[in-house]
Amino acid sequence: MKSQFDRYRQIAEILYRNGLGYLVSVSGLEARIPFRRQSAQEAARVDSPEYLRRALEELGPTFVKLGQLLSTRADLLPPEYMEQLAKLQDRAAPAAWADVHAELEREFGKDPLRMFSAFNTTPIASASIGQAYAATLPDGTDVVVKVRRPGIGPTVESDLAILQSLAGHASRRWEAARDYDVKGFIDEFADTLRQEMDYAQEGRNADRFAVNFENDAAVLIPHIYWEHSTHNVLTMQRMYGMKVTDTRALDAAGIDRKALAATAANAEMKMVFEDGFFHADPHPGNIFVQPNAQIGLIDFGMVGELDDKLRGQLSALFVAVIRKDPDRMASALLRMTVTRVRPDRVKLRMDLAALIRLYSNRTLKDAPVGRIISTGLGIIRNHHLQLPREIALLMRMLIMTEGMGEVLDPEFSMGKTLAPYAKRMTVEQLNPVNYAKRLGKAGGELLELGADLPGQLQRLVNTLDFEGMEVHLRAGDLVPLVERLERVGNRMVAAIFAAAFIRGVGELTLGDADRWRSWQAPLMGAGLASTGVLGGYLAWSARKQRRLDAG
């Protein structure tokens, strides 16, 4: 492996050669190669997506993986870059069998060939991080053995350290790097790549999917053989079948392609909206169709997970989309995304209103989901907003699923598949019980705020008393407090309407005053506790002001 100094110089040289000299400058790499300048021919390649792809390929496995991750982020890169980065192939010449054999022996503590009744030493697939071999267990089960490429760990860790250093430097010197939080993105990429290299984590992902689909006969998840698996080796049941997009083979086997498209799409929707844990890379090479039309999934290194917070944000967005309300959509997006610049809410609303016009005369069932998502991602990118990784993966997965469905069935409608799940999330978002939970949360935050605010204001008063009119307030010190006040204020307004709504629904549905009072009291108590804190604070403020006025 090259020394880190030599690797810095190599990275700089490759970037220069591919017209990316500006990256050398803003990342501080020019100090590693001070007398090198771009030639006119190299400079002509600047802003060329093709040369960016070539540079990443030449830089090796870590950078190829970075490019592949960027190819999933339409909220960050324009379409022409996405198209080029999608061409990045994670392929490599196979490592020598002697080295792989030694790696397996270290992992298992014994000769791997004695653990299997058959082991084909020619890999069936070879990538930059690992390679896969066909083997047979003593009981006759066909398996695939994935082995991490010998020596790849230190190489990747060295490159990740370099990338994180360059990202930190760029964030201090390049406005765009700050706006898009390049340092945070690289840190997230490092975590993602480390997880992907941990085959034990991939095995756990597979087991989780197996549990989620144990009662679904339409989906087949390969069994993981843990006694033959480690962090660097994964042994799993081998999947056979037809490629999901091989329409000729499917027709010859008598597979109903329309039903298959619906089954595949519904499986993905179940993962997202019921399990909150989804396969984030459903490309055709990862999906095998069995002769009985079962769908077999492989490759569980890239997954997405939606926690309660993300589900709530997604629900709010669905409510806005279904109601075709650009104001709600703007609010939902701003809550969901992050940005380092002040967003232009008026322009964002106008852009979203134009997006809504794309499907204004259609229901969600008939809406062009892929086109809407792609246009929406363009709006997000233009406003310098960044999606959470899980939501970005979800958007990509929806587009890929729609494309696969249309190959299988020209009349396939992603919107029709998505509609019942979106409706269910919308109902959950408007459910009175969920409003009650949010009201309780607002009350809790008000209690925290009630405890913090007097101290914050006292420190402000002390500062004013000491410095008189020559005070210089640091706005950043007050931003967290202002944001909490704004957030709690919004929740209180929502809570007032929620309480009225809950009462009306309760009286209509229960029709029993005693039953209504039995659950009204604790709910309103939470609201009164919250308003009590606010009232106490206002009274305290008034007393404080009177003492100040009195000198």
Side-chain angles (χ1 to χ4, degrees):
M1 187 175 70
K2 289 178 179 291
S3 71
Q4 199 169 66
F5 177 79
D6 289 339
R7 182 59 168 156
Y8 272 112
R9 290 181 62 88
Q10 183 186 39
I11 292 170
E13 188 64 48
I14 290 171
L15 291 177
Y16 269 131
R17 192 159 58 245
N18 286 280
L20 300 169
Y22 66 98
L23 289 180
V24 175
S25 176
V26 299
S27 65
L29 272 171
E30 59 189 359
R32 310 280 177 169
I33 185 168
F35 304 112
R36 171 73 156 83
R37 291 292 181 268
Q38 261 186 312
S39 67
Q41 183 181 19
E42 290 168 345
R45 298 168 182 163
V46 71
D47 291 334
S48 168
E50 180 184 355
Y51 278 98
L52 173 61
R53 173 181 59 78
R54 289 185 182 186
L56 293 174
E57 286 174 337
E58 196 173 346
L59 285 167
T62 309
F63 290 82
V64 168
K65 290 290 185 182
L66 176 60
Q68 289 175 330
L69 179 61
L70 283 168
S71 75
T72 71
R73 298 301 300 264
D75 57 320
L76 301 178
L77 293 177
E80 58 271 23
Y81 281 86
M82 301 285 292
E83 182 180 350
Q84 278 296 324
L85 294 181
K87 296 178 181 178
L88 284 169
Q89 298 295 317
D90 188 16
R91 295 174 183 163
W97 166 246
D99 295 334
V100 175
H101 182 273
E103 180 74 14
L104 288 169
E105 197 161 28
R106 276 193 297 272
E107 292 297 308
F108 294 141
K110 62 180 80 172
D111 185 351
L113 298 183
R114 295 183 179 180
M115 300 172 62
F116 301 88
S117 62
F119 197 108
N120 189 340
T121 58
T122 300
I124 56 176
S126 179
S128 56
I129 299 299
Q131 44 202 62
Y133 295 85
T136 305
L137 294 177
D139 66 1
T141 304
D142 287 344
V143 294
V144 170
V145 182
K146 289 179 66 173
V147 186
R148 201 164 81 174
R149 184 177 285 268
I152 192 64
T155 299
V156 168
E157 286 298 332
S158 176
D159 277 352
L160 288 176
I162 289 172
L163 275 171
Q164 288 172 313
S165 172
L166 297 179
H169 196 98
S171 295
R172 294 189 293 272
R173 299 183 60 179
W174 189 19
E175 187 176 353
R178 288 193 299 273
D179 290 351
Y180 284 102
D181 189 18
V182 168
K183 187 176 186 306
F185 179 82
I186 293 298
D187 289 343
E188 184 179 274
F189 164 66
D191 290 341
T192 299
L193 183 54
R194 289 186 182 110
Q195 288 184 30
E196 185 177 341
M197 291 176 64
D198 182 357
Y199 287 162
Q201 180 60 53
E202 181 178 348
R204 289 191 290 270
N205 291 342
D207 280 352
R208 188 169 171 184
F209 282 118
V211 170
N212 291 341
F213 283 96
E214 62 184 348
N215 296 319
D216 190 338
V219 177
L220 183 63
I221 306 295
H223 180 74
I224 304 299
Y225 294 90
W226 287 107
E227 65 276 17
H228 294 80
S229 300
T230 68
H231 288 286
N232 293 337
V233 181
L234 183 65
T235 301
M236 70 178 74
Q237 174 188 356
R238 186 171 185 180
M239 283 287 177
Y240 295 99
M242 296 161 278
K243 193 174 179 179
V244 71
T245 51
D246 188 347
T247 55
R248 288 186 179 180
L250 294 172
D251 289 341
I255 302 292
D256 183 341
R257 288 197 275 127
K258 184 183 288 288
L260 182 64
T263 298
N266 277 312
E268 290 284 358
M269 295 307 99
K270 176 191 181 302
M271 293 180 196
V272 174
F273 299 109
E274 293 182 11
D275 306 329
F277 184 68
F278 60 95
H279 193 299
D281 194 22
H283 69 73
N286 288 337
I287 305 174
F288 294 93
V289 181
Q290 312 302 303
N292 62 356
Q294 265 188 315
I295 293 174
L297 296 178
I298 63 168
D299 196 350
F300 305 100
M302 185 183 290
V303 297
E305 187 165 8
L306 299 179
D307 58 19
D308 289 341
K309 180 182 177 181
L310 287 176
R311 284 176 64 85
Q313 292 172 342
L314 198 58
S315 298
L317 184 60
F318 276 134
V319 169
V321 169
I322 290 172
R323 292 186 174 181
K324 300 176 182 176
D325 184 336
D327 287 315
R328 276 179 176 269
M329 286 181 70
S331 296
L333 279 177
L334 289 174
R335 282 196 296 270
M336 178 184 291
T337 56
V338 295
T339 181
R340 296 299 183 97
V341 298
R342 184 177 180 85
D344 185 340
R345 190 183 178 105
V346 174
K347 180 66 166 59
L348 177 61
R349 184 199 176 282
M350 291 172 60
D351 289 345
L352 292 172
L355 171 62
I356 288 171
R357 286 195 289 272
L358 287 175
Y359 66 100
S360 58
N361 60 342
R362 304 185 186 191
T363 65
L364 181 57
K365 291 182 179 180
D366 303 319
V369 172
R371 183 183 173 197
I372 291 171
I373 291 175
S374 296
T375 306
L377 289 172
I379 292 172
I380 289 171
R381 184 175 63 253
N382 291 339
H383 284 267
H384 300 279
L385 305 175
Q386 277 182 258
L387 289 170
R389 172 186 177 272
E390 313 296 331
I391 299 296
L393 287 176
L394 172 59
M395 297 297 110
R396 173 177 178 265
M397 183 272 284
L398 290 173
I399 292 173
M400 292 177 72
T401 301
E402 183 177 60
M404 177 184 64
E406 289 174 348
V407 169
L408 292 171
D409 173 17
E411 297 178 355
F412 174 77
S413 169
M414 189 68 215
K416 187 176 180 180
T417 305
L418 184 60
Y421 295 95
K423 183 178 179 180
R424 191 182 310 162
M425 290 192 79
T426 301
V427 170
E428 289 176 3
Q429 177 77 5
L430 300 175
N431 189 316
V433 174
N434 289 333
Y435 269 115
K437 289 180 181 177
R438 287 196 288 275
L439 176 59
K441 238 181 211 182
E445 188 144 352
L446 271 171
L447 288 172
E448 289 181 20
L449 185 61
D452 293 347
L453 191 57
Q456 296 268 12
L457 291 177
Q458 183 62 57
R459 284 192 289 276
L460 175 59
V461 168
N462 291 342
T463 302
L464 288 169
D465 286 344
F466 180 75
E467 297 187 9
M469 296 302 292
E470 293 297 320
V471 65
H472 298 278
L473 289 177
R474 290 179 298 175
D477 293 343
L478 296 177
V479 166
L481 182 60
V482 172
E483 287 179 344
R484 290 182 67 189
L485 279 168
E486 183 183 39
R487 189 163 64 247
V488 171
N490 290 339
R491 287 180 178 171
M492 285 302 297
V493 171
I496 291 169
F497 284 105
F501 176 65
I502 292 167
R503 177 167 185 160
V505 171
E507 290 177 337
L508 284 172
T509 56
L510 295 176
D512 183 329
D514 291 334
R515 289 170 63 198
W516 159 247
R517 281 192 292 272
S518 70
W519 66 274
Q520 180 193 28
L523 175 64
M524 296 308 292
L528 289 173
S530 303
T531 53
V533 171
L534 187 58
Y537 158 65
L538 293 174
W540 172 85
S541 298
R543 290 196 301 272
K544 185 70 176 177
Q545 186 60 51
R546 285 197 296 272
R547 286 198 297 272
L548 289 172
D549 291 343

